Amino acid sequence: MIMSEDLFEENAPDEGPATLARMHAAAVLGVEAIPVEVEVNVSPTKDDKFQPSIVGLPDAAVRESLDRVTTALVNSELTAPFDVRWLINLAPAHLKKEGPSFDLPIALATLCALGELTQTQLKGCMAVGELALSGNVRPVRGVLPIALKAKEEGIRKLFVPFENGEEAGVVEGLEVYPVKHLLEVVNFLRGDLEKLPLEMDFDHLFEQFEKYPLDFAEVKGQESARRALEVSVAGGHNLLMIGSPGTGKSMIAKRIPTILPPLNLAESLEVTKIHSIAGTLSPHQALVAQRSFRSPHHTVSDAGLLGGGTHPMPGEVSLAHHGVLFLDELPEFARNVLEVMRQPLEDGVVTISRAAASLTFPCSFMLVAAMNPCPYGFQLRCQKNLQVAA
């Protein structure tokens, strides 16, 4: 049976079992989210050996969602897809779907197909979250870019894990509902539970998260080094510090973000998206309001610095976006690692090319490096003053 989207929504039954159901979801690609439509079809079958299937280029974590969703439905005392042909399609089919964030939308679409919910109740809703076997909703990565895409697509209601609520709540014009359990979503959609959307106070958020544990004012002495740092920060220049061990190179570098201009809302959202995808946000953290400071060890690989992997993730240069990237013991870094930083430093973005797709991550940062003056690190014209080259 072929049915257009408009005809499907107009003729969607308000009650009674539905053979075909749909639910809005999203997949994260790079630092952006792509809309995904979860389609669930159930039909009677006499084949006891029939296995449920999921199509649409799912990875292993998505394929395993069938077992998680079934068990969560049973433990939540909801109708489970037994004795039926259970087929799940994640559209568009050409886009690879990764991670456990599709558990919640698959569960809701399955309940609609089994008659527990109606298509009208799911209209205008998007869900994201991993399901525990008990039905609890666990936090996932990339909720902020999904919330931004939901608003762009005209979605009215977004259901997210409770720990990710503040992260999605910073998107204005979108009703965000943090949930702890699958039953909480089902009862709300049925009208059996009253729940208000999350509201955020941006002024309070910046006041809460923009405080630094360190301060540049704590640096005593080193007048020439402090002056050079202030000039470099004001002009947006990169920096190389040369000095013997103990002269305070690392101590000063850690305090550079405190004299950088405060992040504005647009910059904060860009940085938060990157950290959300990387999974470095703390639970209930809404925004990254501080300038980032990243200090990778000199044994870091080029993939760890620029990003990459089987499922490409942001590297250290992207995590330092709108902040500071500090390379301590600069001569100890591998030459190929330093060479691959040329293009990101010039363009402010890093592109990771794979057979399936090319992903672009932003990486506009201030590069600060430190090194000793000689292999022994104790001789610099018999002085222990810190030298700075901008």
Side-chain angles (χ1 to χ4, degrees), residues 157-338:
K157 300 176 182 178
L158 174 64
F159 299 99
V160 300
F162 182 74
E163 290 83 352
N164 298 123
E166 289 82 357
E167 179 184 345
V170 299
V171 180
E172 296 179 323
L174 179 67
E175 296 181 16
V176 176
Y177 296 91
V179 295
K180 296 182 178 180
H181 198 278
L182 173 61
L183 274 176
E184 190 176 344
V185 186
V186 174
N187 291 333
F188 173 78
L189 292 173
R190 288 173 174 171
D192 299 332
L193 175 66
E194 292 187 4
K195 193 174 181 65
L196 296 176
L198 184 65
E199 295 183 359
M200 304 296 294
D201 184 351
F202 287 97
D203 294 334
H204 175 70
L205 285 176
F206 274 92
E207 182 180 349
Q208 178 183 1
F209 292 110
E210 70 179 355
K211 297 178 181 179
Y212 293 91
L214 305 174
D215 197 327
F216 195 77
E218 298 169 347
V219 180
K220 305 301 179 182
Q222 299 287 12
E223 287 79 5
S224 59
R226 292 171 58 188
R227 176 59 179 166
L229 285 165
E230 292 167 359
V231 172
S232 298
V233 167
H237 305 299
N238 299 320
L239 200 71
L240 173 62
M241 297 187 289
I242 305 175
S244 302
T247 53
K249 301 186 295 297
S250 300
M251 180 269 294
I252 292 178
K254 293 176 181 178
R255 289 162 171 76
I256 293 177
T258 65
I259 59 174
L260 288 169
L263 289 172
N264 57 40
L265 181 58
E267 292 174 336
S268 179
L269 287 175
E270 287 182 20
V271 177
T272 306
K273 285 169 61 177
I274 297 173
H275 285 265
S276 174
I277 295 167
T280 57
L281 288 182
S282 303
H284 301 288
Q285 183 177 357
L287 286 172
V288 176
Q290 298 179 351
R291 296 280 179 176
S292 300
F293 179 83
R294 305 295 298 185
S295 180
H297 193 260
H298 59 77
T299 57
V300 67
S301 65
D302 51 357
L305 194 65
L306 295 188
T310 306
H311 307 302
M313 299 292 290
E316 292 292 336
V317 296
S318 296
L319 294 173
H321 185 54
H322 290 315
V324 176
L325 178 66
F326 179 52
L327 303 184
D328 198 7
E329 304 295 345
L330 182 66
E332 301 297 329
F333 283 80
R335 178 175 180 176
N336 65 298
V337 172
L338 298 177

Side-chain angles (χ1 to χ4, degrees), residues 75-152:
N75 291 332
S76 302
E77 298 183 354
L78 296 167
T79 304
F82 296 133
D83 302 324
V84 294
R85 290 181 179 269
W86 186 26
L87 176 62
I88 302 167
N89 179 44
L90 305 178
H94 70 276
L95 177 67
K96 188 173 180 61
K97 319 303 186 305
E98 302 170 350
S101 61
F102 295 98
D103 290 4
L104 185 56
I106 289 176
L108 295 175
T110 301
L111 290 173
C112 180
L114 294 172
E116 291 275 357
L117 297 171
T118 68
Q119 190 66 53
T120 302
Q121 292 170 337
L122 297 183
K123 186 176 180 181
C125 298
M126 179 182 287
V128 57
E130 176 186 349
L131 286 179
L133 299 184
S134 61
N136 291 328
V137 183
R138 290 174 172 165
V140 294
R141 299 179 178 180
V143 170
L144 178 57
I146 291 176
L148 293 170
K149 179 56 67 173
K151 178 185 177 182
E152 181 182 331

